[in-house]
Amino acid sequence: MHKSRSLWQSNLGFLMAAIGSAIGLGNIWRFSYMAHEHGGGAFLVPYLVALAVAGIPIILLEYGLGHREKGSSPMVFARLSPRFELLGWWMPVVAMFGIMLYYSVVIGWCVNYFFHSFTLAWGSDPQTFFFNDFLQLSSSPAEFGGFRLPILLATALVWFSCWFICYRDIRHGIEVAAKIFMPLLLLLTAVIVFWTLQLDGAWEGIRDNYLSADWHKINFLAADPEARAAAARVWVAAFGQIFFTLSLGFGIMIAYASYLPAKTNLARNALITAAVNCGYSVFAGLAVFGIVGFMAFSQGVTFDEAIVGGPQLAFVVYPQAISLLPDFNSLFGALFFLVLIIAGLTSGVSLVEAFTCALTDKFNWRRKKVVTALCLLGITGSLIFTSRAGLYLLDITDHFITNYGLVLGGLLQCLIIGWYVGPEKLRQHINKLGSKVPQIWNFFIRYLTPLVLLILLLVAIRGDLADNYEGYATIHLLLYGVGWLIFCLLIAYFFTRQPWLAARLKHKHRYGDDDLLV
Ligand code: PHE
């Protein structure tokens, strides 16, 4: 017997959970670093274009699909045609095994740093502390060098928290957590931003590096081929960031929208999610640029000398800045890492949920058992990233999963809806519910968005074939990058091959309208 699907208690609860998934570690430091690297304020142009061309059209598509078919991504795509079920599995598998295994470890780092803030444990040289004392980074990705116990314990805590939140049903678990965490997150972020703005040099850092633009960096029509190639990479980065930041191509938004009641304003929800998420990034960027400006000012160096990118931005630059603060250093540090932990946790929960929803849909297994098993599996899988080679492995995995796994998911979704199903049917479904999606959306889903994503994929492949990413050895890139993608594909294939409990695929929780496919 099929139990009726659980639903969000309120639209606000849904929005908070969806925004909670979108706002994550990526909004705070990944966005800022990208913006700095790719032309400061000028980066906002490709970022906003990517939002308009891929972000909003695909979030509408995912909300529409999840709501229309009332199912997780494997169920939605299997209903469209058994041929597409593999894609339906690919997305949540990538979320759970491609991203969450390392994402949880990075949240674990934040948990450690939260505690380190109280003693300012990084001392006068946060860089050495991060690499030598904290990570105890080995000399190559091949050298695991055993586990780092503090990281392992913190990662276990993160998995435990995810388990605790996902274990209950949607409205008593994820929704309650989102309703507590999201307002808290916004409040704490605002405190950090306004605190930062008070610091000497912060405003200059923001004005000269964030609010000013280096337009050459985004000119992909430049005469000089090298400048053109560099600008193309900026555009690729902007699209990658939009996918990552809006949690698209994972089946997350499909699963979340499947728990919405029949009457709901999907288009408005999609716009709010996108706007709040991207607005948050731009706002949080003030804190990052401000703190680097403050550091440059206090140490008498230039902004470019003060900033470093990637993981170091949060774990080296920030600690350094925290130590330099005139007062309340520990409080500021603890607040900053708490913001990262909260942002990360609400995203982590959504990664686990996408896969949980897929398993409960297909096999009718009990949610509690699925979540418990997944979280145990998750902490086991995360172990490899808590080793002394963890940073290398997660860097490689992240590069391949975000550049290929995600974009591929988005591209195939557009092609299936655009060419096989027909976007008009989905548009009509969304339009019946409230705010209207203009007709041009059909053109985006059919032509523009997939074309842009295809170009993106090709540029990324060309870049990877030309140079080994970050100079890693080919064998390691194959193993942890390409190998990881193949590993995800095999898992997805395995689940696709399992038979559906007959009633589940046929049981359509529809609202009395026609099939999406006729
Ligand atoms: N959107 C989150 C962020 O910006 C991360 C995330 C990616 C969450 C993919 C879920 C899926 O950090």
Side-chain angles (χ1 to χ4, degrees):
M1 252 312 281
H2 181 74
K3 293 197 288 312
S4 75
R5 202 177 181 77
S6 91
L7 295 176
W8 302 102
Q9 188 168 25
S10 68
N11 195 55
L12 187 67
F14 159 75
L15 270 177
M16 288 206 184
I19 293 170
S21 169
I23 295 183
L25 301 176
N27 294 59
I28 299 162
W29 55 271
R30 195 174 193 267
F31 171 80
S32 308
Y33 166 65
M34 293 252 158
H36 171 68
E37 169 114 345
H38 299 307
F43 181 72
L44 284 181
V45 173
Y47 182 77
L48 292 177
V49 170
L51 176 66
V53 170
I56 294 177
I58 297 186
I59 198 171
L60 278 168
L61 183 146
E62 294 200 359
Y63 277 1
L65 272 181
H67 184 260
R68 179 72 162 66
E69 299 289 316
K70 273 220 156 292
S72 59
S73 64
M75 189 179 240
V76 167
F77 284 101
R79 278 177 181 164
L80 295 183
S81 160
R83 278 180 291 162
F84 302 144
E85 190 182 335
L86 185 61
L87 170 67
W89 280 103
W90 165 256
M91 296 195 288
V93 166
V94 164
M96 172 71 201
F97 296 99
I99 298 219
M100 187 53 186
L101 295 189
Y102 73 80
Y103 201 78
S104 56
V105 176
V106 181
I107 308 173
W109 295 354
C110 298
V111 173
N112 275 281
Y113 267 70
F114 172 78
F115 290 112
H116 286 327
S117 297
F118 293 99
T119 55
L120 303 182
W122 44 77
S124 57
D125 187 358
Q127 175 129 7
T128 310
F129 178 83
F130 180 61
F131 289 110
N132 296 1
D133 300 289
F134 178 63
L135 295 180
Q136 300 184 359
L137 191 64
S138 63
S139 54
S140 101
E143 202 184 304
F144 290 117
F147 302 115
R148 287 286 296 123
L149 195 63
I151 302 180
L152 180 66
L153 291 178
T155 306
L157 185 69
V158 170
W159 277 105
F160 175 78
S161 314
C162 283
W163 171 82
F164 187 76
I165 296 171
C166 287
Y167 181 76
R168 286 149 226 256
D169 65 25
I170 289 294
R171 72 167 61 179
H172 296 105
I174 294 180
E175 184 166 358
V176 170
K179 280 181 172 163
I180 298 171
F181 282 149
M182 292 320 285
L184 187 64
L185 180 66
L186 297 183
L187 181 77
L188 294 183
T189 310
V191 170
I192 290 186
V193 168
F194 289 112
W195 190 338
T196 307
L197 289 177
Q198 311 299 320
L199 301 171
D200 291 331
W203 174 244
E204 287 72 17
I206 293 170
R207 188 192 56 204
D208 301 339
N209 298 280
Y210 195 32
L211 302 180
S212 72
D214 184 352
W215 298 109
H216 296 295
K217 286 206 174 158
I218 64 164
N219 181 9
F220 59 87
L221 299 175
D224 172 33
E226 220 158 273
R228 229 176 20 233
R233 279 197 295 276
V234 174
W235 284 82
V236 171
F239 274 84
Q241 175 66 9
I242 280 292
F243 260 87
F244 192 79
T245 194
L246 288 176
S247 310
L248 298 176
F250 293 103
I252 293 176
M253 296 308 187
I254 296 182
Y256 274 17
S258 77
Y259 302 129
L260 276 168
K263 271 201 94 51
T264 179
N265 194 331
L266 278 186
R268 195 178 62 194
N269 282 342
L271 273 185
I272 294 178
T273 313
V276 174
N277 173 69
C278 297
Y280 180 90
S281 279
V282 175
F283 184 63
L286 293 173
V288 178
F289 279 81
I291 204 94
V292 179
F294 159 71
M295 246 177 66
F297 175 83
S298 339
Q299 299 181 320
V301 296
T302 64
F303 189 93
D304 287 334
E305 283 164 345
I307 197 168
V308 263
Q312 281 131 293
L313 185 57
F315 300 98
V316 174
V317 177
Y318 248 90
Q320 202 159 3
I322 292 164
S323 295
L324 288 172
L325 288 176
D327 30 37
F328 299 115
N329 318 50
S330 293
L331 180 65
F332 187 94
L335 273 185
F336 174 70
F337 288 107
L338 187 63
V339 162
L340 285 180
I341 294 169
I342 296 178
L345 213 54
T346 47
S347 299
V349 161
S350 72
L351 291 165
V352 175
E353 176 57 32
F355 201 60
T356 303
C357 180
L359 290 178
T360 47
D361 268 356
K362 181 152 188 173
F363 302 107
N364 207 13
W365 290 337
R366 284 195 33 234
R367 175 181 185 84
K368 293 189 173 178
K369 282 195 184 143
V370 169
V371 171
T372 308
L374 272 186
C375 290
L376 286 174
L377 202 66
I379 177 68
T380 316
S382 287
L383 284 179
I384 179 170
F385 296 105
T386 66
S387 71
R388 286 182 170 77
L391 177 63
Y392 299 127
L393 307 186
L394 75 86
D395 189 21
I396 298 174
T397 309
D398 174 68
H399 173 77
F400 280 86
I401 294 283
T402 40
N403 282 325
Y404 300 104
L406 254 113
V407 176
L408 198 66
L411 174 66
L412 293 175
Q413 285 192 91
C414 287
L415 292 178
I416 290 174
I417 303 306
W419 293 90
Y420 184 80
V421 174
E424 183 59 18
K425 286 180 195 154
L426 204 55
R427 191 173 79 92
Q428 277 173 12
H429 173 74
I430 300 173
N431 283 358
K432 264 194 312 223
L433 299 165
S435 307
K436 306 278 181 274
V437 178
Q439 201 169 5
I440 191 156
W441 182 76
N442 297 1
F443 169 77
F444 272 58
I445 293 298
R446 256 191 124 159
Y447 301 101
L448 192 63
T449 315
L451 184 71
V452 171
L453 295 182
L454 189 67
I455 295 174
L456 214 66
L457 216 51
L458 294 178
V459 173
I461 292 176
R462 211 176 71 175
D464 273 324
L465 289 180
D467 296 304
N468 278 14
Y469 170 66
E470 300 272 319
Y472 287 110
T474 309
I475 177 75
H476 297 140
L477 293 178
L478 286 178
L479 213 58
Y480 302 114
V482 181
W484 210 275
L485 287 169
I486 294 175
F487 168 66
C488 288
L489 191 62
L490 289 178
I491 300 180
Y493 182 73
F494 170 79
F495 282 111
T496 307
R497 297 289 301 172
Q498 307 306 311
W500 282 85
L501 280 176
R504 302 199 59 79
L505 202 53
K506 284 201 211 93
H507 184 109
K508 307 210 171 174
H509 322 259
R510 292 281 171 70
Y511 310 118
D513 39 14
D514 323 323
D515 268 1
L516 203 48
L517 286 173
V518 266

